[in-house]
Amino acid sequence: MVRICQLVDGMPLGLELAAAWLNLLEPAEIAQEIARSLDFLSNNTRNLPPRHQSLRAVFESSWAQLSPAEQGMLADLAIFPAGFSREAAREVANASLQDLSTFISKSLVTRARAENGRFVLHELIRQYAEEKLQADRQRQFATHTRHMNTFARYVAAQEVALKGQDQIGGLDAIETEAENIRLAWTWAALQADFRAVQQICRVMALYFWMRPRSAEAQRLLDFTLQALEGQAKAPQETATLGELYAMDAGIAASLRNFPRSWASLERACVIFEQDWQRAPLFTLSNLGNLFIWPHIDYSTARVWLERAIAAQIPSAVHHQSLEAASRLWLERVLHTAQAEQDPWGLAQALRSLANLEHQQRNYDLSLQYFTESRLLSQRIGDLKGEENALQMLGEVAYTAGYYPSAERHYREALPLAERVGDREDVSYIQIRLADLVALQGRYAEAETLARQGVQEAEFWGNLQLATYGTMALGDLALWQGQLAAATPHYDAAERLLFNAREPRHRSVLGWLKLARSHHQRLQGDLEGALALAQEAPDLLPHNIWGQAASQYAQGETLLDQGELALAHQHFCQSLELAEEARSIMLLMRHLVGAARWMLHTSTPEPAQATLRLVIQHHATWHETRVRAQGLLEASLGAGQAAPPPYSLVQALAAFRALGCPRP
């Protein structure tokens, strides 16, 4: 009913005509019909005067009282789908402030004071005036074109703000005119106006990164690429098409649709291969990030990078690894940003390089680059860049096992994400904080954070984040020994993934199988636990941490089954992978399994020294420390003192001496 009142703007005749349908339709259906056509609100009763039989008759009467110039102006104003500023009214409809005042006095336009003084045509009046505009095709085309040019300039003008001190103002400005920008974007695509498309999309790529609306962005890009395919004639138009494919690659990556991401980036490479100077920095950064995206065809990625590098750096050595090629390319992007004196681009390039080094386990370098990026973003007022760098500094600290430091970085990032308006990042940070707090043993606080993150993720439709958060709730129950309470959380996570029905969620399913494997092992279902642990690696093909966790889970289950030789093999592999990943937290966790194996094979002293290392190490999870403490106490006889703790090198050597193949 509220929607009906809004649509008819409280007009008594409109309410009366709408009420006449209540014996046939539900209120929601009536509202839909009104929004579809103002002719829905009519009454054919013959004893009523024409002006009282329909809203159309009312509007016809009001229209007839306008001058021809006013009629044209009102028709032009109907182009705005959701209100307009006085500046836009002047540029698109040539309507002065006096003209707007006249329309307000005739109840044709209202001023929404709550929305910074924007002007609005009532929706039914807008429908009527739009019909008049559509009846004059020449005028309609000219009005659409003025509207497109107005908002292309408007969007382009926000770029400086988005990259600097007035970032929030720029984001809010785009949000305010979202409907008008969407209309201008689609009209530019339909008319193959590459200049306007480029003006709009370059800045909207920043907007969609800072305030993710990935599904909407992908729909707009699908429409645009389809409309422009085969339309490019001049080199600059072709370059614009390349930018669009690069933008699509970034959006697809954010949606975890890596096959589409690679396909679009490859299209961009084909286009820019003729002249890499035409490629903007965000395209160049995306190309360099190929190595850390889990694409299937690494050989093709390397070929494209080598061809791009050869065009830019003829002296570069060919046939490098993809890692080396990515690093060389991103360093080139960094130098380009420096040469162009582009601090925002420089901060972005530093983050890309830091991501690459982090993925390659070069943690000292990643720490250096993320720190530099954060300080630079902070200096230029780039809140989104600073938030992103803080998150990754948290990841570096987490990987090194410094959980309080990681928590501090994420807590610093959270208010920045909230200020920027990136609700997906707010959800992600809340779920990440839940993990970090849980690793320190603060389970009640972790549960609150995880629930907040899941609620936020579900509201915005991010099933992947919602699944991770729901899994975290299951893990929290498990770590507190509440096996029955963990089951519904894992079941809910599985349902979320089933509803997604997308291959891009395979990695999430891999981690869920590992969580359920641990759960089933603790419940005594060893065959089920082993099967789940064995399925996980195929779902995590390029994830060394997932591979290590799978080997460890299999080792723990096989040990419970009494398969000591097989368990030993898996523990050896899990430690080797954890060491290759340079993951101190995985090493501490997996050494508990190794110590448990040693206790089963009557080698208690090295097991006890290993457990003492785990108990006192800063990188040990609270749950792991409690478990190690229990194993140590159970292994000691009455009055027996534990041996001194091993160093990490000693612990690994002691276990490997019992039969591990040389790494």
Side-chain angles (χ1 to χ4, degrees):
M1 295 301 295
V2 172
R3 179 61 177 152
I4 292 172
C5 292
Q6 291 172 338
L7 285 168
V8 302
D9 200 24
M11 289 185 286
L13 177 60
L15 292 171
E16 182 181 340
L17 294 170
W21 287 98
L22 283 172
N23 64 339
L24 187 62
L25 299 174
E26 293 295 323
E29 295 175 300
I30 294 172
Q32 290 174 356
E33 293 296 333
I34 295 172
R36 188 175 295 121
S37 172
L38 66 89
D39 286 327
F40 177 74
L41 294 176
S42 62
N43 188 329
N44 294 325
T45 305
R46 295 184 178 180
N47 60 356
L48 290 176
R51 280 201 66 193
H52 292 173
Q53 290 182 4
S54 72
L55 284 181
R56 177 175 292 280
V58 174
F59 296 155
E60 290 283 6
S61 175
S62 299
W63 181 266
Q65 296 175 35
L66 298 176
S67 69
E70 290 173 332
Q71 289 176 350
M73 215 174 286
L74 192 64
D76 287 345
L77 291 174
I79 199 75
F80 298 106
F84 50 89
S85 65
R86 57 184 288 193
E87 294 80 12
R90 183 180 64 251
E91 293 183 33
V92 176
N94 197 29
S96 66
L97 196 57
Q98 183 60 50
D99 294 323
L100 294 175
S101 177
T102 299
F103 289 137
I104 290 172
S105 68
K106 295 181 178 182
S107 300
L108 297 171
V109 170
T110 58
R111 189 172 186 201
R113 297 188 183 278
E115 298 181 29
N116 300 320
R118 286 169 62 77
F119 298 89
V120 180
L121 261 71
H122 179 270
E123 177 55 26
L124 296 181
I125 295 173
R126 195 194 70 78
Q127 284 183 26
Y128 178 82
E130 189 176 37
E131 289 178 5
K132 298 295 185 182
L133 181 63
Q134 290 170 349
D136 185 343
R137 293 299 180 86
Q138 187 174 356
R139 184 180 197 105
Q140 182 189 27
F141 181 87
T143 304
H144 261 297
T145 301
R146 289 196 302 275
H147 180 276
M148 175 194 73
N149 288 330
T150 296
F151 285 97
R153 290 192 297 270
Y154 178 88
V155 173
Q158 308 308 319
E159 182 173 6
V160 173
L162 291 184
K163 292 182 175 181
Q165 298 289 341
D166 193 26
Q167 190 171 82
I168 306 301
L171 289 167
D172 289 344
I174 289 175
E175 196 115 330
T176 297
E177 297 291 3
E179 292 294 329
N180 283 312
I181 293 168
R182 190 178 296 111
L183 177 62
W185 182 339
T186 54
W187 182 258
L190 285 171
Q191 302 307 314
D193 191 321
F194 284 86
R195 176 197 55 80
V197 167
Q198 185 187 62
Q199 276 185 296
I200 294 170
C201 290
R202 274 192 176 178
V203 178
M204 291 306 290
L206 300 177
Y207 172 81
F208 284 128
W209 176 59
M210 295 175 182
R211 285 187 182 168
R213 307 284 190 276
S214 300
E216 178 191 356
Q218 196 152 77
R219 285 194 298 271
L220 284 165
L221 283 166
D222 281 340
F223 176 84
T224 305
L225 289 167
Q226 185 176 356
L228 295 182
E229 194 62 49
Q231 299 293 318
K233 302 296 189 292
Q236 187 55 50
E237 293 177 348
T238 304
T240 298
L241 203 58
E243 288 186 44
L244 289 171
Y245 277 114
M247 179 180 173
D248 186 66
I251 296 295
S254 71
L255 289 167
R256 314 291 295 176
N257 188 346
F258 294 113
R260 173 169 175 159
S261 174
W262 168 242
S264 290
L265 201 50
E266 190 171 16
R267 293 291 299 273
C269 288
V270 170
I271 289 170
F272 286 123
E273 190 174 24
Q274 305 303 316
D275 185 0
W276 280 102
Q277 298 299 325
R278 293 184 180 275
L281 275 176
F282 78 86
T283 304
L284 303 178
S285 290
N286 279 347
L287 180 59
N289 284 332
L290 274 173
F291 184 71
I292 60 173
W293 287 358
H295 292 292
I296 297 171
D297 193 351
Y298 282 90
S299 59
T300 303
R302 191 182 71 246
V303 167
W304 274 112
L305 265 174
E306 286 191 350
R307 287 164 66 170
I309 290 168
Q312 292 281 292
I313 316 170
S315 61
V317 177
H318 296 306
H319 306 298
Q320 308 173 77
S321 68
L322 186 54
E323 170 199 352
S326 296
R327 184 176 292 108
L328 183 62
W329 184 255
L330 286 172
E331 287 171 351
R332 177 71 175 182
V333 174
L334 193 94
H335 296 322
T336 301
Q338 290 171 327
E340 294 178 1
Q341 297 184 330
D342 179 358
W344 187 88
L346 181 58
Q348 183 190 38
L350 282 166
R351 286 194 299 276
S352 294
L353 261 175
N355 273 318
L356 174 64
E357 300 299 351
H358 188 73
Q359 188 71 14
Q360 289 304 303
R361 283 88 74 186
N362 299 322
Y363 299 127
D364 290 341
L365 267 179
S366 69
L367 176 63
Q368 174 189 329
Y369 290 142
F370 280 132
T371 302
E372 290 178 18
S373 175
R374 185 221 172 162
L375 292 173
L376 182 54
S377 294
Q378 202 172 40
R379 179 168 62 80
I380 65 176
D382 175 13
L383 298 178
K384 176 62 180 178
E386 184 183 359
E387 177 238 316
N388 191 260
L390 278 167
Q391 281 194 53
M392 294 312 301
L393 284 168
E395 282 304 297
V396 175
Y398 164 75
T399 305
Y402 293 107
Y403 308 126
S405 177
E407 180 188 347
R408 187 183 73 252
H409 286 308
Y410 272 104
R411 289 199 183 278
E412 289 176 1
L414 183 57
L416 294 178
E418 289 172 334
R419 285 182 63 192
V420 169
D422 186 342
R423 303 311 305 179
E424 288 192 5
D425 264 12
V426 168
S427 171
Y428 174 78
I429 292 169
Q430 287 170 332
I431 292 169
R432 205 72 190 89
L433 278 169
D435 285 337
L436 292 166
V437 166
L439 297 185
Q440 299 171 71
R442 288 150 40 209
Y443 294 132
E445 184 182 351
E447 183 176 347
T448 299
L449 285 163
R451 290 189 184 280
Q452 290 173 345
V454 169
Q455 184 178 12
E456 189 85 34
E458 288 181 335
F459 179 81
W460 291 102
N462 191 320
L463 294 181
Q464 177 170 286
L465 276 179
T467 303
Y468 273 127
T470 307
M471 286 165 54
L473 289 168
D475 292 343
L476 285 168
L478 211 62
W479 293 348
Q480 296 174 82
Q482 301 165 2
L483 302 187
T487 301
H489 293 303
Y490 291 140
D491 289 344
E494 201 160 308
R495 284 194 299 274
L496 284 167
L497 284 179
F498 179 79
N499 291 334
R501 293 176 179 273
E502 293 185 46
R504 60 193 172 94
H505 295 301
R506 283 171 56 84
S507 63
V508 190
L509 181 59
W511 287 110
L512 178 57
K513 283 184 180 292
L514 288 173
R516 297 210 85 145
S517 172
H518 185 203
H519 184 218
Q520 291 195 18
R521 184 177 72 80
L522 293 180
Q523 289 182 313
D525 180 5
L526 300 182
E527 289 187 6
L530 185 60
L532 286 167
Q534 290 170 339
E535 291 170 10
D538 289 341
L539 298 167
L540 299 161
H542 303 299
N543 190 313
I544 192 171
W545 296 271
Q547 298 289 322
S550 171
Q551 293 296 328
Y552 172 68
Q554 291 178 64
E556 287 275 28
T557 306
L558 288 164
L559 185 56
D560 285 349
Q561 291 178 326
E563 299 284 354
L564 299 185
L566 286 174
H568 185 260
Q569 291 177 20
H570 285 287
F571 285 136
C572 288
Q573 290 173 17
S574 77
L575 288 167
E576 183 179 338
L577 288 167
E579 197 169 23
E580 184 182 342
R582 296 182 62 194
S583 175
I584 190 65
M585 59 182 174
L586 283 185
L587 284 168
M588 289 301 113
R589 185 170 178 79
H590 296 186
L591 279 170
V592 175
R596 196 163 78 93
W597 182 89
M598 287 188 282
L599 289 173
H600 274 69
T601 55
S602 302
T603 48
E605 189 168 326
Q608 292 161 352
T610 297
L611 289 170
R612 287 203 64 191
L613 162 68
V614 172
I615 290 165
Q616 70 175 25
H617 202 282
H618 73 271
T620 301
W621 300 354
H622 177 80
E623 174 263 347
T624 304
R625 182 174 287 111
V626 169
R627 184 177 180 222
Q629 187 71 50
L631 287 170
L632 179 62
E633 291 173 359
S635 72
L636 294 171
Q640 180 185 356
Y646 276 153
S647 68
L648 177 58
V649 172
Q650 289 172 323
L652 290 171
F655 183 69
R656 285 170 176 158
L658 298 172
C660 282
R662 294 193 59 167

